[in-house]
Amino acid sequence: MYYFDETPIIACSTSAHGRSAIAVIRISGNFELEQFSEILKFSRSGPIEPRKSYLIKIHENDQLIDEALAVFFSAPNSYTGENVLELSVHGNPINVDRIIELFISKYRLRSANPGEFTYRAMKNNKLSLSQVEGLDLLLNASSYFALDSGQNLLRGDLDKEFIQLKEKFLTLKAYLELNIDFAEDIGEERSWSLARSAFQSFNDSLMVLWDRGSIEPKTILSPKIVLFGKANSGKSTLFNSLLKTERSIVSPIAGTTRDYISEFIMIEGVQFELVDTAGLRDTEDFVESQGIARAHELIEKSFYKILLQNVYEIDFSFEKFDADLVIYTHLDVVQDFNLPAGSIGANLLVDDVTKQVIDKLLHKFKDVISKNPIVIPRHRELINSLSDRTTSLKTLFDNEPDIAILSSELNLIEQELYELLGQVTPDRVLKEIFENFCIGK
C-alpha cells in the first residue's frame, strides 16, 4: 500500500486520456526546486517565489522539448501540505507522457496512484476525511444536487456538525465522570440531573442527523424513475414520450417488452435513469418471467414509481408497490371514468401528460433534497450505529444508572464518534474511498 511511501509523486491532473491545449502535471513531495535545474530552465534568474507563474523551458539532454508555465507551492501552504510544483504544458498526451517519464527516470519520482495527492492532503491535515468524501462526490457527481452536496462537504459544513455533536458528547461524559468523583460534593440528585440534561442535548442533535441520514443516498444521487404495470398498459409509450425518441418498441401485443429498458434523461440539472419494465403478469415464458422478476426489484429500489393502469383491466394488487403516481390509460374509449385524486388520465395530449409527470417528479425530488439529506454511506452507517447505542444508553439511564455500565457504553460511543470525524479510520474505508478517485487528484 502506498499510504506509508513518501517518495515524491508525479501525475497529470488534466487531459490524461485526450488531446487538449494545456495539461497540468503535478509533482508533490519532499524536494527542492534546484534539483530539477538540469531540465527546468526558468526565464528569470534569482529566487523563485511561491504562488507565482514563471515561463520555463523543459530540456532533455540540452534539447528543448516544451515551453510551459510553472507554479511552485511551498510546504505547508499547498494542496497536499508538501512542496508542490505544477507545470502547465502543451496537452498532447505524447508530450505529457514524455515529460512525466523524464522526471521519473532522472529524479526517481514515482507515478501517483489514484487519489494519492488527496490522501497526502488528508494525512497532512489539509483535508478531513469528510472533506475527502465530499471531493469524491464532487468529482463523480451526475447532478447539480450531487455537486452541491460535494461542495458542502468539501467546505467542511458537515464536519462542523459532527464536531458540535462530539462536544456535546464530551459534556455528557464529563458530567458522568462528575458522578464518579464528586457526587457527594454537589449532591447525587443534582449530578444525575446535569448528566440527563447533557444526554438529552446530545441525543437531540444526533436525532437531527439521523433524520437526514434516513434517506437512501442512491435514490437521490442516482435516482431511478420506474414505469410499471400490466402488459399493454402504455408504459413504453410514456417511456418514449419522456425521452422524446422511439427508444422502446410500442405494440398492441401484450408482453412486447420482455425485460427492462433504461435510458438516462436530464431534467433541470438532475440526471435520472428512466426504466421501462416488463409488463407484470403471470407467464410461462422463461425470458419474460426473468424480466418480470427484475421489474419487481427495480420497483422496490426506485426513487419515483409510476404505475400505469389500463382502465379495461385495473389490477388493485399493484397498490402494494405504493406508487408515487398512477396514470390511467385508454380513457379515450371509456365514458364517465372518475379519476382518483392525484392520478393522471392519459386521454390528455401526450405533451400534457409528460409535463404533469415531470412536474410531479421534480416536486418530490425538491422536497427530498430540501431536507438536506446525508448521502455518504459511511456517515449514515455510523450515525445509525450511534443512534442504536444511544438508545441503549437511554435505557440504562432510565432503569439502571450504574456508573460502570454507563462508562463502558460511553467508551463505545466515543470510538464511533472519532470514526465519524475521521480521527480513527479503518484501512478498508480508505481503500473504498480512494478507489473512486482519478489519477492526478
Side-chain angles (χ1 to χ4, degrees):
M1 208 66 174
Y2 63 78
Y3 297 150
F4 306 106
D5 185 349
E6 297 184 357
T7 303
I9 54 175
I10 184 170
C12 177
S13 61
T14 59
S15 90
H17 302 292
R19 298 175 187 271
S20 66
I22 300 294
V24 178
I25 296 173
R26 182 185 291 169
I27 300 169
S28 180
N30 182 22
F31 64 84
E32 299 298 333
L33 271 181
E34 290 76 13
Q35 75 185 71
F36 302 140
S37 60
E38 186 178 344
I39 63 174
L40 298 184
K41 309 296 183 181
F42 284 79
S43 59
R44 51 156 287 179
S45 58
I48 302 302
E49 297 182 48
R51 300 178 181 274
K52 287 191 176 182
S53 296
Y54 293 90
L55 180 64
I56 63 167
K57 294 183 178 181
I58 304 175
H59 288 261
E60 181 178 12
N61 299 326
D62 296 324
Q63 177 188 352
L64 177 66
I65 62 173
D66 201 7
E67 288 188 313
L69 285 178
V71 182
F72 177 65
F73 302 87
S74 59
N77 301 313
S78 69
Y79 177 72
T80 62
E82 303 172 333
N83 284 342
V84 172
L85 177 63
E86 291 188 351
L87 303 173
S88 297
V89 303
H90 289 99
N92 186 305
I94 299 173
N95 184 53
V96 173
D97 290 344
R98 178 166 69 171
I99 294 171
I100 289 176
E101 285 303 317
L102 177 60
F103 275 95
I104 289 174
S105 61
K106 199 164 191 68
Y107 299 107
R108 295 186 179 179
L109 275 63
R110 173 172 62 76
S111 293
N113 289 282
E116 190 169 1
F117 287 93
T118 299
Y119 170 75
R120 291 190 176 197
M122 186 184 74
K123 184 181 71 172
N124 293 321
N125 298 317
K126 305 296 288 187
L127 293 173
S128 69
L129 182 58
S130 291
Q131 287 177 302
V132 170
E133 290 166 316
L135 180 58
D136 176 27
L137 181 58
L138 177 65
L139 293 175
N140 295 289
S142 59
S143 69
Y144 292 156
F145 166 70
L147 278 173
D148 292 342
S149 296
Q151 288 281 17
N152 292 341
L153 283 167
L154 192 54
R155 284 199 306 265
D157 293 354
L158 193 57
D159 266 336
K160 293 174 185 175
E161 295 183 59
F162 291 163
I163 289 170
Q164 290 174 354
L165 184 68
K166 176 188 169 185
E167 289 173 349
K168 290 186 176 184
F169 170 79
L170 292 176
T171 300
L172 167 61
K173 185 177 179 182
Y175 279 130
L176 283 173
E177 290 176 349
L178 194 68
N179 271 284
I180 297 174
D181 299 323
F182 302 103
E184 294 181 358
D185 297 326
I186 63 174
E188 187 173 345
E189 184 176 342
R190 170 64 175 161
S191 65
W192 276 112
S193 176
L194 290 170
R196 286 191 172 91
S197 177
F199 169 81
Q200 191 60 51
S201 177
F202 170 75
N203 189 57
D204 288 345
S205 294
L206 180 59
M207 287 301 98
V208 170
L209 292 171
W210 185 87
D211 285 338
R212 289 168 52 195
S214 60
I215 300 167
E216 174 60 43
K218 286 185 179 179
T219 64
I220 47 177
L221 293 178
S222 303
K224 282 185 172 64
I225 309 166
V226 175
L227 313 179
F228 71 101
K230 295 189 74 169
N232 206 26
S233 61
K235 302 183 302 301
S236 296
T237 300
L238 178 60
F239 183 83
N240 290 337
S241 176
L242 287 166
L243 289 177
K244 298 180 181 179
T245 184
E246 296 299 314
R247 172 64 178 85
S248 197
I249 299 172
V250 177
S251 165
I253 302 172
T256 299
T257 303
R258 289 149 60 88
D259 196 358
Y260 75 89
I261 300 171
S262 68
E263 288 286 348
F264 288 99
I265 179 172
M266 188 70 75
I267 304 174
E268 291 193 11
V270 182
Q271 182 175 271
F272 293 93
E273 184 180 1
L274 181 63
V275 183
D276 179 15
T277 62
L280 303 183
R281 63 174 184 171
D282 295 329
T283 179
E284 295 182 0
D285 184 289
F286 175 77
V287 174
E288 188 180 357
S289 66
Q290 292 299 303
I292 291 171
R294 292 180 187 178
H296 280 267
E297 184 178 349
L298 286 165
I299 294 167
E300 292 296 329
K301 295 181 178 179
S302 65
F303 171 77
Y304 198 77
K305 301 185 282 289
I306 301 177
L307 169 62
L308 289 96
Q309 292 268 37
N310 185 334
V311 292
Y312 284 113
E313 45 182 353
I314 294 175
D315 191 332
F316 294 102
S317 69
F318 291 148
E319 291 179 359
K320 65 184 178 184
F321 292 112
D322 193 24
D324 296 285
L325 175 64
V326 181
I327 300 177
Y328 291 91
T329 62
H330 300 83
L331 286 180
D332 50 327
V333 292
V334 174
Q335 302 296 321
D336 302 324
F337 182 82
N338 294 320
L339 285 174
S343 63
I344 294 177
N347 59 333
L348 303 173
L349 295 174
V350 171
D351 287 346
D352 291 338
V353 173
T354 303
K355 183 180 184 303
Q356 288 191 60
V357 169
I358 290 174
D359 287 346
K360 289 177 180 293
L361 165 68
L362 289 176
H363 182 271
K364 178 179 178 180
F365 188 82
K366 291 174 181 177
D367 179 61
V368 170
I369 66 174
S370 70
K371 298 171 184 175
N372 195 16
I374 293 173
V375 297
I376 301 297
R378 184 183 70 87
H379 297 167
R380 296 173 64 253
E381 290 168 8
L382 285 167
I383 288 169
N384 285 337
S385 181
L386 282 167
S387 174
D388 291 341
R389 293 197 182 283
T390 304
T391 299
S392 299
L393 190 65
K394 183 179 186 305
T395 301
L396 292 173
F397 261 115
D398 293 342
N399 300 312
E400 187 183 355
D402 183 288
I403 293 295
I405 298 175
L406 286 172
S407 180
S408 175
E409 194 66 31
L410 279 176
N411 287 336
L412 295 174
I413 292 175
E414 187 170 22
Q415 289 174 20
E416 292 193 343
L417 274 172
Y418 279 109
E419 190 172 338
L420 183 64
L421 282 160
Q423 295 170 343
V424 177
T425 310
D427 284 346
R428 63 170 179 78
V429 173
L430 295 178
K431 184 175 184 296
E432 290 169 2
I433 293 171
F434 288 108
E435 277 181 347
N436 292 325
F437 274 72
C438 56
I439 293 173
K441 189 59 182 175

